[in-house]
Amino acid sequence: MIIETEKLNFSYTKGGRQILKDINLSLGEGEVMSILGPNGAGKSTLLNCIATLLMPDSGIVRLCGKDTREMKPKEVASILSYVPQNHVPAFSYTVFNFVLMGRAPKVGMFERPKDEDFAIVEKTLEEIGLTELKDKPYTEISGGERQQATIARAMVAQPKAILFDEPTAHLDYGNQLKTLRIIKSLKEKGYAIIITTHNPDHAIMLGGTTAILDREGRLTVGKSEEIIAEERLRQVYGTELSLIHMDEVDRDVCVPPNL
Amino acid sequence: MKLDGIEKKTSPFVWGIMIVLPFLFFFVSLFLGRYMIAPGDVAKILLDQIPGVNIKPTWETTAETVVLRVRFPRAVMAALVGAGLSMSGAAFQGMFQNPLVSPYVLGVSAGASFGAALGLLMSWPIWIVQIVAFIFGIIAVAITYSMAHLYKTTPILMLVLSGMVVSAFFQAMVSFIKFAADDEDKLPAITFWLMGSIGKVGLEDLAHSAIPMIIAMAVLYAIRWRLNVLSMGEREAESLGVNTERIKVIVIITTTLISSMTVSLCGIIGWVGQVIPHFCRMIVGPNHKALIPATIFVGATYIIIIDNLCRLVSITEIPIGILTSVVGAPVFAYLLRKTKGGWT
């Protein structure tokens, strides 16, 4: 297993609402997991705990079988990359230099990236189709391109797993699909992938496993086609909705009722 | 394939100019002054200092004293102060992800001012005043840091706010000392000290302050690429495998050492730490890999020039803090207009 959690518990303040309750999940090579859940349920919190950016109250996160409590940030970052929600940084680094920062786990504190690092960045930019933009300021490219640059940055660390925090948020329809396609191709390359999303269709399209985090902090995990059921989604989102099989695309689609 | 990873392709020519200018102005400041010395003599005096080189003196002994004991330490200090404050400013701006931040944001200048004012009030010898100022600069930052420290981390926003509180407190204490000081001689002494001057710096001061300052600057220089990653925000930098707390502590310790040393020896020299990094970003781009070296050269040049103006513009020397602000504020305004608020 690449990612494994055991009885993860988390709350932001002592005695406050328990965000995560006894969370167990595991993910191997080439597997994808979509985390669904209402706003504020703690999907990002769960990702942050897995990425060791937050300390759980109790429970263990293991990466490649190793207890993260005994790992340095660098070791964690070389197994697991994190694609945060897009934001515009204060300084306009070029796309190239932005992506280069993904090499940080491999570059010593008092060192600078070397030719080898530059070459990996070049190759990854090529792979993700951003070579033409590499000298443009990161602050001046479109939201979709920024998303792709952030994914490239996650890839250059050459991790085994990539976590995506709402990768489709703030993107137009076309870019959402593009991002999902990239995620699918990363899965096929063997990365273990966890994404959080607000769109059940995305979970259906990605296949793999789906996990639903409810307001009590419990996680229900299973195969996407089993977990994503009308009744469960109605409960999660507190609204009427239907799952309809569409023959044209040969999968279920989630359809909201009329307003 | 471009492999250097530097944003703007700053030509070697521009880098050459940036590197040559501080040395040029350093040399100029050795012969320029009310006591004019021929540039040739200055060069000979300098060469004469190299062990093994013996040049037949064609100059007066006064010239040698002026060059070596007065102008040389002053120009070296100006270069160190300019480079140090500019580097610290650039590092803080990266760390706080805010290009308006100055090296004094954590309260170092207010703390050091208080220490100096206290020392002057008590009529302690000048070297004790300097040490007390230096120590209080560090104490102020230590208070800021511990106030901002929550649950094993020190959020950037908490640092800024704590810095404001600590600065306000020490500034009030300075006012209190001024209020209590005898207005015939101590109050003016404190007031003038706070306005800043590099003129007081002698060879002895340089001997014990240059090395720690250079070491602190070398450390900042060495971690400069990490500053890029840190400027993405703490959470993100952490997810990129950076031990942000450690980097923050390194940046805070080095910049505090530099600024506290500067303020304790030369008083408050404002605006350098904001203007120079901003100006350098226009030339070499935001990548700290290029920005930090640029701030060293441009910062050193800037303060050497300003300090020469302080000495030469009027009969009595102008406090350097006044000139750096008079020049710095409009230049900063111009840079803001030119970059339209975008921190290129």
Side-chain angles (χ1 to χ4, degrees):
Chain A
M1 284 298 126
I2 291 173
I3 300 174
E4 235 176 323
T5 72
E6 197 184 302
K7 295 211 161 179
L8 219 52
N9 284 284
F10 183 86
S11 53
Y12 277 99
T13 48
K14 276 210 171 69
R17 181 167 87 87
Q18 193 154 8
I19 311 282
L20 306 176
K21 202 170 189 177
D22 291 337
I23 304 267
N24 294 310
L25 59 81
S26 65
L27 208 66
E29 201 173 297
E31 291 180 354
V32 60
M33 176 183 286
S34 313
I35 300 177
L36 293 172
N39 272 332
K43 300 185 291 296
S44 304
T45 307
L46 177 56
L47 284 193
N48 285 332
C49 280
I50 294 172
T52 69
L53 300 175
L54 289 174
M55 237 339 204
D57 299 335
S58 66
I60 303 170
V61 178
R62 286 196 195 86
L63 294 177
C64 293
K66 220 174 153 192
D67 189 338
T68 50
R69 288 173 301 187
E70 282 147 26
M71 293 167 82
K72 290 183 179 143
K74 263 190 176 186
E75 292 177 71
V76 172
S78 49
I79 293 180
L80 184 145
S81 283
Y82 192 102
V83 178
Q85 285 192 40
N86 256 313
H87 71 100
V88 181
F91 302 105
S92 45
Y93 300 112
T94 57
V95 171
F96 183 92
N97 276 322
F98 176 81
V99 174
L100 185 60
M101 292 183 205
R103 293 295 295 169
K106 316 275 181 189
V107 178
M109 168 125 66
F110 298 106
E111 289 166 18
R112 263 78 51 201
K114 301 183 190 63
D115 286 356
E116 182 203 345
D117 302 299
F118 298 137
I120 291 167
V121 171
E122 292 280 349
K123 201 180 127 253
T124 310
L125 285 173
E126 183 80 51
E127 214 176 306
I128 215 142
L130 283 176
T131 304
E132 266 134 66
L133 295 176
K134 68 174 182 172
D135 292 325
K136 279 233 168 137
Y138 175 79
T139 44
E140 286 168 25
I141 59 178
S142 76
E145 290 159 349
R146 270 208 284 277
Q147 176 70 268
Q148 289 152 30
T150 316
I151 295 174
R153 190 182 68 177
M155 289 165 68
V156 296
Q158 298 172 322
K160 294 193 160 47
I162 306 181
L163 308 184
F164 292 82
D165 192 8
E166 289 186 32
T168 52
H170 313 298
L171 292 183
D172 68 38
Y173 200 71
N175 275 316
Q176 291 187 13
L177 287 176
K178 195 164 179 182
T179 302
L180 290 174
R181 275 197 195 102
I182 294 175
I183 292 172
K184 191 167 168 240
S185 75
L186 291 174
K187 173 195 127 179
E188 277 152 13
K189 279 180 194 149
Y191 293 99
I193 289 171
I194 302 182
I195 78 163
T196 62
T197 176
H198 282 299
N199 194 332
D201 284 325
H202 292 171
I204 297 170
M205 286 156 80
L206 285 173
T209 52
T210 291
I212 292 182
L213 187 65
D214 63 28
R215 286 199 160 277
E216 275 70 53
R218 277 184 302 258
L219 193 74
T220 319
V221 193
K223 281 193 171 155
S224 292
E225 56 269 31
E226 288 163 15
I227 286 286
I228 299 176
E230 269 177 15
E231 198 43 48
R232 200 175 270 128
L233 290 182
R234 281 185 196 135
Q235 260 182 21
V236 170
Y237 296 112
T239 175
E240 265 310 306
L241 54 79
S242 339
L243 280 175
I244 299 166
H245 189 86
M246 269 192 85
D247 293 331
E248 286 87 338
V249 287
D250 193 26
R251 62 172 163 85
D252 282 356
V253 287
C254 183
V255 182
N258 289 328
L259 299 175
Chain B
M1 190 154 80
K2 189 194 72 167
L3 285 180
D4 61 350
I6 304 278
E7 258 84 8
K8 290 200 179 174
K9 291 197 189 85
T10 316
S11 67
F13 177 70
V14 173
W15 275 107
I17 290 180
M18 271 197 283
I19 293 166
V20 166
L21 279 183
F23 294 99
L24 183 73
F25 281 100
F26 180 84
F27 188 70
V28 167
S29 61
L30 294 184
F31 65 78
L32 219 58
R34 215 144 297 121
Y35 183 86
M36 281 296 270
I37 303 165
D41 282 347
V42 170
K44 282 189 217 158
I45 291 172
L46 288 180
L47 284 175
D48 194 37
Q49 300 310 307
I50 302 168
V53 180
N54 253 317
I55 296 174
K56 215 168 150 201
T58 56
W59 59 86
E60 295 168 47
T61 44
T62 329
E64 191 168 324
T65 314
V66 167
V67 168
L68 294 178
R69 311 227 95 225
V70 182
R71 291 185 188 161
F72 178 80
R74 185 170 182 163
V76 172
M77 197 63 202
L80 284 177
V81 164
L85 288 178
S86 307
M87 257 181 125
S88 307
F92 263 12
Q93 289 167 9
M95 178 169 126
F96 288 100
Q97 304 155 57
N98 183 334
L100 294 174
V101 162
S102 88
Y104 301 150
V105 70
L106 299 183
V108 65
S109 62
S113 305
F114 168 74
L118 184 70
L120 293 168
L121 179 76
M122 308 304 270
S123 306
W124 288 333
I126 193 68
W127 65 275
I128 295 187
V129 173
Q130 287 171 355
I131 290 175
V132 173
F134 177 70
I135 290 172
F136 268 99
I138 290 182
I139 289 177
V141 175
I143 296 174
T144 300
Y145 185 81
S146 43
M147 261 170 66
H149 200 72
L150 294 166
Y151 316 115
K152 289 188 242 165
T153 65
T154 336
I156 290 294
L157 183 66
M158 279 296 290
L159 270 175
V160 177
L161 296 174
S162 309
M164 281 171 65
V165 172
V166 170
S167 293
F169 175 77
F170 278 109
Q171 271 154 13
M173 293 303 283
V174 169
S175 300
F176 187 71
I177 287 179
K178 280 180 166 174
F179 172 72
D182 147 33
D183 55 5
E184 282 287 310
D185 101 85
K186 281 180 186 163
L187 180 58
I190 295 171
T191 310
F192 277 117
W193 190 91
L194 291 179
M195 288 179 190
S197 165
I198 302 182
K200 300 169 293 196
V201 174
L203 266 182
E204 296 73 25
D205 299 310
L206 203 59
H208 56 69
S209 60
I211 289 170
M213 276 178 93
I214 289 172
I215 291 174
M217 285 155 78
V219 172
L220 271 184
Y221 185 81
I223 60 163
R224 64 194 190 280
W225 188 72
R226 275 282 189 275
L227 291 171
N228 281 354
V229 186
L230 194 59
S231 78
M232 287 287 110
E234 285 174 272
R235 189 48 76 71
E236 210 165 314
E238 233 163 89
S239 80
L240 292 167
V242 171
N243 188 336
T244 52
E245 205 55 31
R246 191 192 298 165
I247 294 275
K248 264 191 289 183
V249 168
I250 292 177
V251 171
I252 291 173
I253 288 177
T254 49
T255 52
T256 301
L257 208 81
I258 292 168
S259 340
S260 196
M261 200 80 91
T262 301
V263 179
S264 67
L265 291 171
C266 310
I268 297 178
I269 303 178
W271 283 97
V272 184
Q274 283 119 315
V275 175
I276 300 299
H278 203 80
F279 179 75
C280 291
R281 255 180 230 115
M282 276 176 62
I283 306 173
V284 302
N287 188 348
H288 291 81
K289 192 175 148 192
L291 179 65
I292 293 289
T295 55
I296 295 176
F297 298 115
V298 177
T301 310
Y302 179 67
I303 291 297
I304 292 176
I305 293 176
I306 294 277
D307 188 47
N308 277 320
L309 291 177
C310 290
R311 296 194 293 138
L312 303 171
V313 163
S314 75
I315 311 277
T316 49
E317 190 168 319
I318 303 171
I320 189 165
I322 298 181
L323 268 197
T324 52
S325 301
V326 164
V327 176
V331 167
F332 198 60
Y334 167 77
L335 293 178
L336 283 179
R337 297 285 304 173
K338 179 138 190 193
T339 54
K340 298 176 193 72
W343 321 112
T344 45

